[in-house]
């Protein structure tokens, strides 16, 4: 008798969480590990947010809330969309979940029927395709490359749409590449989508972390017609360094929200009441610390890109958003030492061989690109100090030198 459900046969454990857990175990045992794996800001949550949560506890706001979120947090989210994105929603179009990941999961569970196709540009966040599979959908992976700045073209999107296409998944700024679409580029994709009956899921979680005077744009902001068929996912984890608070939110058609509410009501029910009051303070409060964090990430981006591009065999584009770099390491795959590693690791992906060797022998944790749909690259988060970035990249350089000799 098989003890587990077949639906899990098509799902892999999150590689980013697994690598971070392994790095943390090594650190706990006294090993000096530099961890580029976790997608988590290293700053503390702003003080006014923590004080709001503390006040909520002192006032006894520790009970169940409505499944889809408190009325006051929904109002704050509605205000955020209006003030920052020019988008008008009412509270029936808003849902609050336990992190953006749950909101994405509930969206697909609420919208997909068996066999429905979801177009996902690659590289993509590790959980997208597996969540679609859990919802009995079919992920249609459309590869992009470093030459296109890891962005899907309108022609690629048009060619990927079939009569089974239900959703186009849009993520800008991107995890893992940091690529960010310009308004003109978003308009071109919207022009394709409006010619088809296709929904768009826009993952905006890195909205507030953009660089080089680039203005954030999502498909819903292009036209009212596109807004009607776009579901937006966002949250407070990345912008406000609140990853452990587990608050994500979504906005879209009331019928989708209703189904998601039902789904959530039969699984987790409401997100933490205390976290919701903290999120409300984040959205309505002073945004100065958000800007300070963004500027710190900008400085770190320039540091890590410069250091990586000094290493022979690595090509690292400069991202325009988020806090990740996605360098190609194919030049290292050609070194004599790496070819020997390939021979001793039959069947293993090249980026996985690279990352395992780096962590086991040089105490640096990075995520293999194959987890994001591109085996030519690795992902590094630069949400860590300048000193750790410098130390970690110097260890990567040492590994490359050793493999090349």
């Amino acid at each position: 008798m098989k003890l587990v459900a077949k639906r899990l046969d098509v799902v892999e454990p999150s590689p980013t969480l697994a690598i971070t857990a392994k790095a943390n175990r090594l650190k706990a045992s006294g090993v000096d590990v530099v961890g580029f794996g976790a997608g988590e800001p290293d700053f503390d949550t702003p003080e006014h947010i923590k004080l709001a949560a503390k006040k909520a506890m002192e006032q006894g706001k520790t009970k169940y809330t409505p499944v889809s979120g408190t009325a006051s947090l929904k109002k704050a989210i509605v205000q955020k969309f209006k003030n920052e994105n020019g988008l008008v929603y009412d509270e029936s179009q808003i849902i609050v979940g336990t992190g953006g990941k749950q909101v994405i999961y509930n969206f697909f569970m609420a919208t997909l029927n068996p066999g429905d196709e979801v177009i996902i540009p690659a590289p993509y966040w590790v959980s997208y395709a597996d969540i679609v599979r859990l919802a009995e959908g079919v992920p249609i992976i459309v590869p992009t490359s470093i030459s296109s700045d890891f962005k899907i073209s309108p022609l690629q999107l048009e060619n990927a749409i079939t009569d089974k296409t239900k959703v186009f998944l849009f993520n800008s700024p991107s995890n893992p590449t940091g690529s960010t679409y310009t308004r003109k580029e978003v308009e071109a994709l919207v022009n394709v989508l409006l010619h088809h009956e296709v929904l768009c899921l826009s993952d905006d979680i890195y909205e507030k972390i953009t660089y080089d005077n680039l203005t954030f744009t999502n498909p819903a902001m292009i036209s009212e017609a596109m807004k009607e068929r776009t579901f937006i996912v966002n949250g407070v984890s990345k912008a406000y360094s609140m990853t452990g608070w587990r608050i994500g939110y979504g906005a879209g058609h009331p019928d989708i929200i209703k189904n998601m509410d039902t789904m959530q009501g039969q699984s987790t029910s409401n997100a933490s009441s205390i976290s919701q009051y903290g999120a409300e303070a984040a959205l309505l409060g002073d945004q100065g610390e958000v800007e300070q964090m963004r500027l710190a990430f900008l400085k770190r981006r320039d540091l890590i890109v410069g250091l990586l591009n000094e290493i022979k065999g690595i090509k690292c584009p400069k991202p325009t958003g988020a806090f990740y770099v996605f360098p190609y390491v194919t030049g290292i795959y050609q070194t004599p030492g790496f070819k020997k590693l390939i021979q001793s690791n039959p069947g293993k992906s090249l980026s996985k061989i690279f990352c395992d060797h780096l962590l086991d022998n040089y105490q640096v944790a990075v995520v293999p690109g194959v987890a994001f749909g591109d085996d030519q690259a690795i992902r590094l988060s630069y949400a860590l100090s300048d000193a750790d970035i410098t130390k970690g990249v110097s260890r990567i350089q040492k590994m490359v030198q050793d493999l090349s000799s």
Side-chain angles (χ1 to χ4, degrees):
M1 179 178 68
K2 188 172 183 179
L3 298 178
V4 297
K6 289 183 178 179
R7 70 176 64 89
L8 293 175
D9 292 345
V10 297
V11 177
E12 295 289 337
S14 169
T16 53
L17 295 179
I19 289 167
T20 300
K22 182 177 180 180
N24 287 338
R25 288 194 300 270
L26 289 171
K27 288 180 182 179
S29 66
V31 178
D32 177 25
V33 175
V34 178
F36 290 107
E40 180 172 51
D42 59 323
F43 305 105
D44 194 12
T45 303
E47 191 66 23
H48 71 278
I49 297 172
K50 293 190 287 185
L51 289 175
K54 181 180 178 182
K55 182 178 179 181
M57 287 189 285
E58 291 172 345
Q59 293 177 342
K61 296 178 179 179
T62 57
K63 308 299 182 182
Y64 292 133
T65 76
V67 169
S68 60
T70 64
S72 57
L73 177 53
K74 286 185 177 183
K75 287 179 182 178
I77 294 168
V78 167
Q79 182 174 324
K80 180 266 179 218
F81 279 122
K82 182 178 180 180
N83 294 343
E84 297 183 3
N85 307 110
L87 297 171
V88 178
Y89 294 99
D90 60 48
E91 291 172 34
S92 69
Q93 295 175 280
I94 304 296
I95 190 167
V96 177
T98 307
K101 182 181 286 189
Q102 186 193 30
V103 177
I104 293 171
Y105 180 87
N106 288 350
F107 168 82
F108 282 124
M109 292 296 290
T111 58
L112 295 185
N113 292 308
D116 284 344
E117 294 178 351
V118 178
I119 297 172
I120 305 175
Y124 50 81
W125 179 50
V126 294
S127 293
Y128 287 151
D130 281 339
I131 290 175
V132 169
R133 294 186 186 101
L134 282 171
E136 299 184 80
V138 179
I140 303 299
I141 307 302
V142 179
T144 66
S145 69
I146 199 170
S147 62
S148 65
D149 195 24
F150 300 112
K151 297 175 184 178
I152 188 173
S153 71
L155 180 60
Q156 284 181 300
L157 177 58
E158 179 71 51
N159 290 340
I161 294 174
T162 72
D163 57 0
K164 295 182 179 180
T165 304
K166 184 70 173 285
V167 181
F168 168 57
L169 205 161
F170 181 78
N171 176 216
S172 172
S174 161
N175 176 6
T177 66
S179 294
T180 308
Y181 289 75
T182 65
R183 185 177 182 88
K184 185 177 180 180
E185 290 168 337
V186 179
E187 287 176 345
L189 296 176
V190 166
N191 287 337
V192 173
L193 293 172
L194 288 177
H195 284 89
H196 301 274
E197 293 185 2
V198 178
L199 296 173
C200 177
L201 173 64
S202 183
D203 183 351
D204 297 358
I205 196 70
Y206 296 97
E207 171 188 3
K208 291 183 178 291
I209 310 174
T210 62
Y211 314 116
D212 305 332
N213 298 314
L214 196 151
T215 301
F216 170 82
T217 306
N218 69 26
M221 296 166 66
I222 300 301
S223 69
E224 187 64 26
M226 195 63 221
K227 174 177 173 282
E228 289 300 307
R229 61 170 74 179
T230 299
F231 188 90
I232 298 173
V233 176
N234 210 321
V236 297
S237 295
K238 313 298 183 178
Y240 301 96
S241 196
M242 296 174 66
T243 50
W245 296 64
R246 308 310 303 136
I247 294 293
Y249 57 85
H253 194 283
D255 289 349
I256 295 176
I257 296 292
K258 183 179 178 180
N259 273 4
M260 292 175 66
D261 192 330
T262 299
M263 175 71 191
Q264 191 164 309
Q266 296 293 357
S267 54
T268 61
S269 294
N270 62 275
S272 161
S273 62
I274 303 307
S275 295
Q276 289 188 65
Y277 290 108
E280 186 180 334
L283 295 176
L284 297 178
D286 181 73
Q287 303 295 301
E289 288 188 62
V290 176
E291 175 63 6
Q292 290 176 21
M293 287 187 273
R294 188 191 71 83
L295 292 173
F297 285 137
L298 172 60
K299 180 184 175 184
R300 295 171 182 183
R301 177 202 68 169
D302 292 343
L303 173 64
I304 195 169
V305 169
L307 291 173
L308 286 169
N309 279 326
E310 291 176 359
I311 301 175
K312 186 178 180 181
I314 292 182
K315 183 178 182 180
C316 184
K318 183 177 287 188
T320 48
F323 42 73
Y324 308 104
V325 286
F326 199 68
Y328 270 22
V329 292
T330 49
I332 298 168
Y333 294 166
Q334 305 306 316
T335 61
F338 198 86
K339 288 180 179 179
K340 291 180 181 178
L341 291 176
I342 295 173
Q343 293 174 355
S344 59
N345 290 275
K348 186 183 287 189
S349 70
L350 299 185
S351 60
K352 184 72 163 56
I353 293 172
F354 182 105
C355 295
D356 286 347
H357 186 67
L358 181 62
L359 180 55
D360 293 341
N361 297 280
Y362 297 86
Q363 293 76 55
V364 177
V366 302
V367 187
V370 69
F372 306 97
D374 191 339
D375 199 31
Q376 302 175 88
I378 58 174
R379 191 199 77 173
L380 296 86
S381 165
Y382 49 89
L384 60 167
S385 70
D386 290 5
D388 279 343
I389 289 171
T390 302
K391 179 167 66 173
V393 175
S394 70
R395 292 180 182 181
I396 296 173
Q397 186 173 32
K398 179 64 167 62
M399 185 187 86
V400 174
Q401 290 172 345
D402 292 344
L403 291 173
S404 301
S405 59

